[in-house]
PDB file of all heavy atoms in Angstrom:
ATOM      1  N   TRP B1564       1.684  11.099  13.875  1.00  0.00           N
ATOM      2  CA  TRP B1564       0.232  10.883  13.805  1.00  0.00           C
ATOM      3  C   TRP B1564      -0.518  11.690  14.853  1.00  0.00           C
ATOM      4  O   TRP B1564      -1.674  11.422  15.122  1.00  0.00           O
ATOM      5  CB  TRP B1564      -0.096   9.397  13.919  1.00  0.00           C
ATOM      6  CG  TRP B1564       0.692   8.700  14.967  1.00  0.00           C
ATOM      7  CD1 TRP B1564       0.417   8.648  16.294  1.00  0.00           C
ATOM      8  CD2 TRP B1564       1.894   7.962  14.774  1.00  0.00           C
ATOM      9  NE1 TRP B1564       1.383   7.934  16.936  1.00  0.00           N
ATOM     10  CE2 TRP B1564       2.297   7.485  16.033  1.00  0.00           C
ATOM     11  CE3 TRP B1564       2.664   7.659  13.640  1.00  0.00           C
ATOM     12  CZ2 TRP B1564       3.449   6.728  16.202  1.00  0.00           C
ATOM     13  CZ3 TRP B1564       3.806   6.900  13.823  1.00  0.00           C
ATOM     14  CH2 TRP B1564       4.187   6.448  15.080  1.00  0.00           C
ATOM     15  N   LYS B1565       0.152  12.638  15.462  1.00  0.00           N
ATOM     16  CA  LYS B1565      -0.564  13.529  16.381  1.00  0.00           C
ATOM     17  C   LYS B1565      -0.448  14.944  15.851  1.00  0.00           C
ATOM     18  O   LYS B1565       0.637  15.380  15.458  1.00  0.00           O
ATOM     19  CB  LYS B1565       0.055  13.453  17.778  1.00  0.00           C
ATOM     20  CG  LYS B1565      -0.179  12.101  18.417  1.00  0.00           C
ATOM     21  CD  LYS B1565      -0.150  12.193  19.921  1.00  0.00           C
ATOM     22  CE  LYS B1565      -0.610  10.908  20.554  1.00  0.00           C
ATOM     23  NZ  LYS B1565      -2.068  10.735  20.482  1.00  0.00           N
ATOM     24  N   ARG B1566      -1.576  15.630  15.843  1.00  0.00           N
ATOM     25  CA  ARG B1566      -1.528  17.009  15.394  1.00  0.00           C
ATOM     26  C   ARG B1566      -0.632  17.799  16.342  1.00  0.00           C
ATOM     27  O   ARG B1566      -0.343  17.361  17.456  1.00  0.00           O
ATOM     28  CB  ARG B1566      -2.934  17.602  15.349  1.00  0.00           C
ATOM     29  CG  ARG B1566      -3.778  16.974  14.247  1.00  0.00           C
ATOM     30  CD  ARG B1566      -5.157  17.569  14.221  1.00  0.00           C
ATOM     31  NE  ARG B1566      -6.048  16.773  13.380  1.00  0.00           N
ATOM     32  CZ  ARG B1566      -6.226  16.981  12.071  1.00  0.00           C
ATOM     33  NH1 ARG B1566      -5.580  17.954  11.463  1.00  0.00           N
ATOM     34  NH2 ARG B1566      -7.043  16.220  11.372  1.00  0.00           N
ATOM     35  N   LEU B1567      -0.211  18.982  15.879  1.00  0.00           N
ATOM     36  CA  LEU B1567       0.806  19.734  16.594  1.00  0.00           C
ATOM     37  C   LEU B1567       0.460  19.942  18.073  1.00  0.00           C
ATOM     38  O   LEU B1567       1.277  19.648  18.954  1.00  0.00           O
ATOM     39  CB  LEU B1567       1.003  21.078  15.898  1.00  0.00           C
ATOM     40  CG  LEU B1567       2.333  21.750  16.176  1.00  0.00           C
ATOM     41  CD1 LEU B1567       3.453  20.747  16.070  1.00  0.00           C
ATOM     42  CD2 LEU B1567       2.535  22.880  15.191  1.00  0.00           C
ATOM     43  N   LEU B1568      -0.759  20.388  18.342  1.00  0.00           N
ATOM     44  CA  LEU B1568      -1.134  20.672  19.728  1.00  0.00           C
ATOM     45  C   LEU B1568      -1.057  19.404  20.580  1.00  0.00           C
ATOM     46  O   LEU B1568      -0.569  19.422  21.709  1.00  0.00           O
ATOM     47  CB  LEU B1568      -2.549  21.263  19.771  1.00  0.00           C
ATOM     48  CG  LEU B1568      -2.968  21.777  21.153  1.00  0.00           C
ATOM     49  CD1 LEU B1568      -2.105  22.953  21.573  1.00  0.00           C
ATOM     50  CD2 LEU B1568      -4.436  22.190  21.159  1.00  0.00           C
ATOM     51  N   ALA B1569      -1.514  18.287  20.021  1.00  0.00           N
ATOM     52  CA  ALA B1569      -1.478  17.020  20.758  1.00  0.00           C
ATOM     53  C   ALA B1569      -0.042  16.583  21.007  1.00  0.00           C
ATOM     54  O   ALA B1569       0.259  15.947  22.020  1.00  0.00           O
ATOM     55  CB  ALA B1569      -2.232  15.945  19.982  1.00  0.00           C
ATOM     56  N   ASN B1570       0.867  16.947  20.122  1.00  0.00           N
ATOM     57  CA  ASN B1570       2.276  16.669  20.338  1.00  0.00           C
ATOM     58  C   ASN B1570       2.796  17.435  21.547  1.00  0.00           C
ATOM     59  O   ASN B1570       3.575  16.900  22.335  1.00  0.00           O
ATOM     60  CB  ASN B1570       3.093  17.086  19.106  1.00  0.00           C
ATOM     61  CG  ASN B1570       3.529  15.896  18.289  1.00  0.00           C
ATOM     62  OD1 ASN B1570       4.466  15.208  18.667  1.00  0.00           O
ATOM     63  ND2 ASN B1570       2.838  15.651  17.200  1.00  0.00           N
ATOM     64  N   ILE B1571       2.371  18.687  21.662  1.00  0.00           N
ATOM     65  CA  ILE B1571       2.850  19.521  22.770  1.00  0.00           C
ATOM     66  C   ILE B1571       2.295  19.001  24.094  1.00  0.00           C
ATOM     67  O   ILE B1571       2.998  18.964  25.103  1.00  0.00           O
ATOM     68  CB  ILE B1571       2.409  21.000  22.575  1.00  0.00           C
ATOM     69  CG1 ILE B1571       2.816  21.502  21.199  1.00  0.00           C
ATOM     70  CG2 ILE B1571       2.983  21.884  23.670  1.00  0.00           C
ATOM     71  CD1 ILE B1571       4.274  21.565  20.937  1.00  0.00           C
ATOM     72  N   THR B1572       1.030  18.574  24.093  1.00  0.00           N
ATOM     73  CA  THR B1572       0.405  18.168  25.355  1.00  0.00           C
ATOM     74  C   THR B1572       0.680  16.712  25.719  1.00  0.00           C
ATOM     75  O   THR B1572       0.295  16.288  26.800  1.00  0.00           O
ATOM     76  CB  THR B1572      -1.130  18.348  25.293  1.00  0.00           C
ATOM     77  OG1 THR B1572      -1.612  17.621  24.163  1.00  0.00           O
ATOM     78  CG2 THR B1572      -1.516  19.800  25.152  1.00  0.00           C
ATOM     79  N   LEU B1573       1.324  15.976  24.820  1.00  0.00           N
ATOM     80  CA  LEU B1573       1.534  14.543  25.070  1.00  0.00           C
ATOM     81  C   LEU B1573       2.243  14.305  26.408  1.00  0.00           C
ATOM     82  O   LEU B1573       3.320  14.841  26.656  1.00  0.00           O
ATOM     83  CB  LEU B1573       2.368  13.960  23.922  1.00  0.00           C
ATOM     84  CG  LEU B1573       2.482  12.431  23.857  1.00  0.00           C
ATOM     85  CD1 LEU B1573       1.121  11.787  23.798  1.00  0.00           C
ATOM     86  CD2 LEU B1573       3.299  12.033  22.643  1.00  0.00           C
ATOM     87  N   GLY B1574       1.599  13.529  27.265  1.00  0.00           N
ATOM     88  CA  GLY B1574       2.185  13.201  28.558  1.00  0.00           C
ATOM     89  C   GLY B1574       2.191  14.344  29.548  1.00  0.00           C
ATOM     90  O   GLY B1574       2.885  14.299  30.560  1.00  0.00           O
ATOM     91  N   LEU B1575       1.418  15.373  29.258  1.00  0.00           N
ATOM     92  CA  LEU B1575       1.427  16.582  30.097  1.00  0.00           C
ATOM     93  C   LEU B1575       0.100  16.685  30.837  1.00  0.00           C
ATOM     94  O   LEU B1575      -0.946  16.456  30.261  1.00  0.00           O
ATOM     95  CB  LEU B1575       1.617  17.794  29.182  1.00  0.00           C
ATOM     96  CG  LEU B1575       2.017  19.117  29.807  1.00  0.00           C
ATOM     97  CD1 LEU B1575       3.430  19.023  30.352  1.00  0.00           C
ATOM     98  CD2 LEU B1575       1.935  20.231  28.774  1.00  0.00           C
TER      99      LEU B1575
END
Side-chain angles (χ1 to χ4, degrees):
Chain B
W1564 43 83
K1565 292 205 170 284
R1566 291 180 193 270
L1567 202 45
L1568 188 65
N1570 255 283
I1571 307 296
T1572 55
L1573 191 56
L1575 196 68

